[in-house]
Amino acid sequence: MVVKVYGPIKAACPQRVLSCLLEKDVDFQILHIDLDAGDHKKPDFLLHQPFGQVPAIEDGDFKLFESRAIIRYYASKYENRGPNLLGNTLEERALVDQWLEVEAHNFNDLVYNLVLQLVILPRMGKQGDSALALTCQQKLEKVFDIYEQRLSASAYLSGDSFTLADLSHQPGIRYLVEDAGMGHLVSQRKHVNAWWDTISNRPAWKKLMELASC
Amino acid sequence: MATPVTVHGPPLSTAVSRVLACLIEKDVPFQLIPVNMAKGEHKSPDFLKIQPFGQVPAFQDEATSLFESRAICRYICEKYPEKGNKGLYGTNPLAKASIDQWVEAEGQSFNPPSSVLVFQLAFAPRMKLKQDQSLISQNETKLEKLLGVYEKRLGESRFLAGDDFSLADLSHLPNAHYLVNAAEREELFTSKKNVERWWGEISSRDSWKKVVDMQKQST
């Protein structure tokens, strides 16, 4: 059964799901949603995702939205296939969840707003808010300082193995480094830099980047 | 015997109260260690050791130390599956996925505008800070639209993730409680039939009433 993933392959939240499916070797089909054309707000799509956001998945009769819920589901469903993205013990799993929540609540909004102001709005021919971008950048510096501290104690965020916690960061950091000119946030921090180097060179992520560049 | 489960933070904090509600639903005894945020205790070196972002709550269960309220809630449910409300985080993978979906919706879509409104309408006046009317108006509009989606959903099922009360509904309690009781925004919930019914049910659960009591006692 092929998992249908609704969303543009270049958008961060669908990429979070696709990275996970590739890690787990789960077959998928991307059903492209044109955000510029407002496809995500049309009645057809709202049946898949009532908030009008991407991604949504369909796996046979099973439907799900919210990228971090989707990756939790597939990491658990295919726990014994490919890398263990969840952790082995209850405590390890809790740490994975903790850092996944950190990404969702302390990291994501800052990256989203920074990228919106510096990359997305200018691409649409609109003026970005440079003061807001600067504020986001300053706050991100502090967040990355905490990540630096954490990653000096373990190779990955939740411990010694790559998990959903690290995976969840891949799309956002790519945007920062490759599109927003914020690579220094990563490269100026020794352990964050090594971590990004490792997680961005995973075969699954590289495969996704290849698919996204077509 | 000292209870091994400890929560650090003030019960008035929405994130702290989320964890307290979960512990009480699961019938897990705990100790609450107050953190005086007005005095900056959450930024002290000692506190930063257990929560490096300087936020509440922090949580300890024997040797396990955790932060992020929604991660703590999931952990409590996984560690104590047979205690209290056994279905709080679902009893099968599909139920769990649905719950995770709506916990994420709460965290990503409900929490941001409701947090802004709660701060602007309930906390800013008490802290003698000037309210930002444009921010209030923007976030009211967002929340109104969001609750329109909830209205439809709650016409299809009794609770957000299905027919049973779950972590997904629980996760909404703290901010919604303040919107209704401290920010004069009850109408957001009462103007929609299904949302009103849902709010009435979830806010009258014993566990939430106990959390509200703890909040009142802490002032």
Side-chain angles (χ1 to χ4, degrees):
Chain A
M1 181 68 70
V2 169
V3 177
K4 291 184 180 168
V5 182
Y6 292 85
I9 194 174
K10 288 185 196 271
C13 295
Q15 286 187 347
R16 185 173 290 113
V17 170
L18 295 169
S19 179
C20 179
L21 295 177
L22 285 161
E23 289 282 352
K24 287 298 191 176
D25 212 8
V26 175
D27 287 333
F28 59 84
Q29 182 196 3
I30 297 169
L31 281 80
H32 180 68
I33 300 291
D34 189 341
L35 301 181
D36 291 336
D39 280 358
H40 53 314
K41 305 293 180 191
K42 293 181 181 159
D44 271 352
F45 183 73
L46 293 176
L47 294 173
H48 294 286
Q49 217 289 12
F51 299 95
Q53 296 163 337
V54 290
I57 63 106
E58 212 173 282
D59 189 346
D61 290 332
F62 177 60
K63 290 181 177 177
L64 201 59
F65 55 85
E66 284 295 341
S67 62
R68 296 169 192 84
I70 296 167
I71 63 177
R72 281 184 179 98
Y73 174 71
Y74 282 104
S76 182
K77 182 174 181 182
Y78 296 107
E79 198 172 343
N80 297 315
R81 186 200 286 190
N84 181 351
L85 300 177
L86 285 176
N88 293 306
T89 64
L90 180 59
E91 287 69 30
E92 282 173 20
R93 286 163 181 262
L95 283 176
V96 174
D97 205 24
Q98 173 186 279
W99 287 99
L100 191 41
E101 290 292 325
V102 165
E103 182 275 318
H105 298 287
N106 280 355
F107 181 84
N108 185 60
D109 275 358
L110 295 174
V111 173
Y112 177 81
N113 278 304
L114 186 56
V115 171
L116 183 64
Q117 304 308 324
L118 294 181
V119 181
I120 311 290
L121 288 174
R123 261 185 212 166
M124 290 162 68
K126 294 181 185 172
Q127 180 89 299
D129 182 339
S130 53
L132 177 57
L134 183 60
T135 308
C136 288
Q137 188 187 333
Q138 288 165 340
K139 288 180 181 175
L140 259 179
E141 296 259 14
K142 293 193 172 146
V143 171
F144 271 120
D145 283 344
I146 296 169
Y147 280 31
E148 178 65 10
Q149 188 189 32
R150 173 62 189 173
L151 292 163
S152 67
S154 60
Y156 298 92
L157 284 172
S158 63
D160 295 325
S161 311
F162 177 80
T163 67
L164 289 186
D166 311 287
L167 182 150
S168 203
H169 287 82
Q170 286 170 323
I173 297 182
R174 190 215 66 81
Y175 259 111
L176 283 179
V177 169
E178 293 182 16
D179 293 351
M182 290 285 141
H184 62 281
L185 291 174
V186 170
S187 62
Q188 284 171 358
R189 291 168 174 83
K190 181 172 151 210
H191 297 97
V192 172
N193 192 50
W195 169 71
W196 173 242
D197 195 51
T198 304
I199 70 174
S200 59
N201 275 298
R202 287 183 71 86
W205 181 252
K206 285 168 82 164
K207 174 77 187 169
L208 177 58
M209 291 298 99
E210 208 183 308
L211 290 171
S213 67
C214 297
Chain B
M1 181 182 110
T3 169
V5 174
T6 309
V7 182
H8 298 254
L12 287 176
S13 144
T14 51
V16 172
S17 68
R18 183 175 289 114
V19 171
L20 300 180
C22 182
L23 285 163
I24 298 172
E25 270 289 323
K26 291 298 287 175
D27 225 348
V28 174
F30 62 90
Q31 191 186 6
L32 180 64
I33 311 270
V35 174
N36 190 327
M37 294 175 78
K39 288 189 178 159
E41 282 178 10
H42 55 311
K43 307 290 181 190
S44 73
D46 272 345
F47 189 80
L48 291 175
K49 283 184 194 144
I50 56 174
Q51 217 294 11
F53 296 90
Q55 294 161 337
V56 290
F59 172 91
Q60 280 151 333
D61 181 3
E62 292 167 317
T64 301
S65 195
L66 282 181
F67 50 89
E68 284 297 334
S69 63
R70 297 167 191 83
I72 296 166
C73 288
R74 286 186 182 98
Y75 167 82
I76 292 163
C77 291
E78 301 277 46
K79 173 117 190 238
Y80 302 102
E82 296 304 313
K83 296 202 75 167
N85 184 336
K86 295 184 189 181
L88 193 61
Y89 193 20
T91 50
N92 65 71
L94 295 183
K96 200 182 229 185
S98 180
I99 294 168
D100 273 334
Q101 173 184 276
W102 287 99
V103 171
E104 286 297 321
E106 179 273 315
Q108 294 296 313
S109 297
F110 179 81
N111 187 55
S114 59
S115 291
V116 170
L117 278 181
V118 166
F119 179 79
Q120 289 291 326
L121 296 169
F123 288 103
R126 287 178 211 184
M127 292 158 73
K128 306 232 192 319
L129 294 167
K130 187 161 183 263
Q131 289 175 314
D132 183 332
Q133 291 306 327
S134 136
L135 213 52
I136 291 172
S137 166
Q138 274 170 39
N139 286 284
E140 270 176 335
T141 304
K142 279 185 189 168
L143 209 47
E144 179 64 40
K145 198 169 166 208
L146 194 89
L147 290 172
V149 177
Y150 280 35
E151 178 66 7
K152 183 160 186 288
R153 171 60 185 170
L154 293 163
E156 294 162 1
S157 65
R158 187 173 165 199
F159 296 99
L160 285 172
D163 293 324
D164 297 315
F165 177 80
S166 75
L167 266 190
D169 311 287
L170 184 152
S171 215
H172 288 78
L173 283 165
N175 285 16
H177 172 81
Y178 279 137
L179 284 173
V180 169
N181 295 287
E184 295 175 351
R185 288 298 180 279
E186 191 170 7
E187 220 219 324
L188 281 169
F189 296 86
T190 57
S191 58
K192 295 171 174 56
K193 196 179 108 214
N194 300 322
V195 171
E196 183 179 32
R197 190 255 318 144
W198 168 74
W199 173 247
E201 279 208 67
I202 69 173
S203 57
S204 56
R205 286 185 79 85
D206 281 341
S207 57
W208 185 246
K209 287 183 179 172
K210 287 182 180 147
V211 174
V212 173
D213 271 340
M214 289 180 75
Q215 290 184 333
K216 287 180 180 155
Q217 278 166 43
S218 74
T219 53

